[in-house]
Amino acid sequence: KFDLEAFVENEVKSVQVVDLHTHLFPPEHDELFLWGIDELLNYHYIVSEFFMVASSDVTSQAFFAEYTEEKRSDLIWTTLFVLRTPVSEACQGVIRVLSRLGLEKHLKDDTLDSIRAWFHERQKDPREYAKTIFELAGIKYVVMTNIPFVEEEARYWENQVNFDKTLFKSALRVDQYVFSSLLLLTADWETFAKVVFKIEDFNKFQKMVVEGYLSKSELLEKILDYLECWARKIDALYLFASTPAKFEYEENAETPSQDMKFNLPRASELIDKVLIPLARKLNLPIGLKVGACRGVNPDLAPCNGGDGVEVVDTKFLQSLCRKFADVKFLVTFLAAAINTRPVY
């Protein structure tokens, strides 16, 4: 008798998947390649959960500034995995990883000593370890989220460090969090001045704009050239940005507004004259992550945690899809609630 259920289950398990949005790096990127039990336990979802139940005498300031990574891991392991049943999605993720790696017998240990010893042995060949993880997870390849505005990351691309591009592919992130703001989608000109124009003194940059040494067209052209250079350098599969909370797209982006300083282009104009032309020129889709509320709990900022989500009005997506029908948009909604303005 043909077992249809078993056949379907086997076929599904044998299919390789592609993870389109990750924050992973290849082993060749040294300290950016995060792996091992201590990195797993210091992931921001786990840390955020820890502070929901942590003793009041454990302050976030001491936790991040005074504790070593191993001490933080030990505290999290004891609190979430030994003294409590690890039932959350984040904790179950750690359990599944350790189980698939053959470490299930150590899950009841009060300390991390034996698990750390296992990972320490794999430090000899991190490339082989990465391949093992991909095979166990059934992953064909992942797409990294690469940010050219971060020096610690950019130097590996500038130095043309080789890595396995069949496993690690790239997406160009065109926003970056600097002083709690987004670069492209909030028109963070202070960061543009430093990174794109190599002008550290923002007052000097503003003066050059006011006095006409840098015209609006020159500003936009320089940013477009900068991002195109990086998109080609990393062989990007798509462009990516996370919209700020309450983001609105102005279809008539060049209309002056009271908050426009020194006649610098605003976010909507940067979309129209930088992001869209770049996507068209390189024939790349634009990935948007919408619904993030940054810094809801600033105490968790050191681990990139403490963010919230919001229900998004998709009016701005309707405008973008209508105005730029030839450009593909890949959109991720962080909030589970149904939006009232569907985009077809």
Side-chain angles (χ1 to χ4, degrees):
K1 182 180 178 180
F2 180 69
D3 190 338
L4 178 60
E5 182 179 353
F7 174 80
V8 172
E9 181 179 356
N10 182 66
E11 288 299 307
V12 171
K13 287 183 176 180
S14 65
V15 173
Q16 286 188 304
V17 300
V18 172
D19 195 334
L20 280 176
H21 175 67
T22 75
H23 297 279
L24 301 176
F25 293 91
E28 291 79 5
H29 284 198
D30 302 328
E31 71 276 4
L32 299 179
F33 176 63
L34 304 181
W35 67 295
I37 187 60
D38 292 302
E39 293 295 349
L40 278 174
L41 293 176
N42 277 273
Y43 188 54
H44 63 83
Y45 287 127
I46 299 285
V47 175
S48 298
E49 183 177 339
F50 165 76
F51 274 104
M52 293 172 63
V53 296
S55 171
S56 59
D57 61 353
V58 180
T59 66
S60 59
Q61 182 178 3
F63 185 83
F64 293 116
E66 300 174 15
Y67 295 2
T68 64
E69 184 179 63
E70 288 192 357
K71 183 176 180 179
R72 293 196 298 267
S73 299
D74 291 336
L75 192 55
I76 290 170
W77 180 258
T78 300
T79 304
L80 298 182
F81 294 84
V82 177
L83 300 180
R84 288 173 174 77
T85 303
V87 296
S88 71
E89 183 177 355
C91 287
Q92 281 297 302
V94 175
I95 297 296
R96 284 193 291 270
V97 169
L98 296 177
S99 297
R100 292 301 303 275
L101 290 174
L103 297 171
E104 194 166 8
K105 64 181 180 181
H106 299 297
L107 294 178
K108 295 183 179 180
D109 291 355
D110 291 338
T111 71
L112 293 169
D113 294 345
S114 56
I115 296 176
R116 283 198 180 105
W118 187 92
F119 278 103
H120 181 73
E121 284 296 311
R122 273 70 193 170
Q123 287 182 341
K124 300 173 184 177
D125 195 349
R127 295 176 185 83
E128 190 61 34
Y129 173 79
K131 289 181 180 179
T132 299
I133 293 297
F134 276 59
E135 291 171 2
L136 291 174
I139 295 176
K140 186 177 182 180
Y141 63 84
V142 301
V143 182
M144 303 179 287
T145 306
N146 299 118
I147 310 172
F149 312 110
V150 178
E151 173 58 29
E152 293 79 7
E153 180 180 338
R155 61 190 176 93
Y156 290 99
W157 298 99
E158 295 282 14
N159 295 330
Q160 299 181 331
V161 174
N162 291 322
F163 61 90
D164 190 344
K165 294 181 175 61
T166 64
L167 295 181
F168 295 90
K169 299 184 184 295
S170 303
L172 180 68
R173 187 159 193 169
V174 297
D175 64 352
Q176 167 60 19
Y177 306 105
V178 181
F179 306 115
S180 301
S181 65
L182 289 146
L183 186 56
L184 188 67
L185 297 189
T186 55
D188 181 3
W189 283 98
E190 187 167 352
T191 301
F192 280 137
K194 292 179 181 178
V195 177
V196 179
F197 297 90
K198 307 301 181 185
I199 301 175
E200 292 290 331
D201 186 345
F202 187 55
N203 290 328
K204 177 181 178 181
F205 176 78
Q206 290 176 314
K207 184 177 180 181
M208 291 175 67
V209 174
V210 171
E211 295 180 356
Y213 292 102
L214 285 172
S215 67
K216 179 189 288 188
S217 60
E218 289 174 323
L219 295 175
L220 295 171
E221 182 180 356
K222 184 76 172 179
I223 296 170
L224 178 58
D225 289 344
Y226 178 85
L227 293 177
E228 180 184 349
C229 175
W230 272 101
R232 294 186 184 279
K233 182 177 297 186
I234 70 174
D235 195 18
L237 296 184
Y238 63 89
L239 309 173
F240 178 79
S242 180
T243 61
K246 309 299 181 186
F247 176 72
E248 294 183 0
Y249 171 73
E250 305 168 86
E251 292 206 50
N252 187 12
E254 293 190 69
T255 301
S257 65
Q258 293 180 347
D259 63 349
M260 187 164 62
K261 298 178 181 179
F262 304 103
N263 201 35
L264 291 172
R266 302 188 303 281
S268 296
E269 191 170 357
L270 287 170
I271 292 174
D272 290 355
K273 297 184 178 180
V274 175
L275 190 56
I276 295 298
L278 180 61
R280 283 172 170 163
K281 185 173 184 178
L282 301 181
N283 193 28
L284 294 177
I286 297 173
L288 295 174
K289 183 174 68 176
V290 300
C293 296
R294 300 292 174 185
V296 175
N297 184 352
D299 288 345
L300 297 179
C303 69
N304 294 316
D307 295 338
V309 297
E310 66 173 359
V311 177
V312 177
D313 186 336
T314 59
K315 180 180 179 181
F316 80 91
L317 285 174
Q318 291 183 358
S319 298
L320 289 173
C321 292
R322 180 176 60 250
K323 189 173 181 180
F324 308 112
D326 59 318
V327 176
K328 292 183 174 64
F329 292 91
L330 312 173
V331 184
T332 299
F333 292 92
L334 298 183
I338 301 298
N339 294 274
T340 59
R341 301 174 186 263
V343 178
Y344 299 101

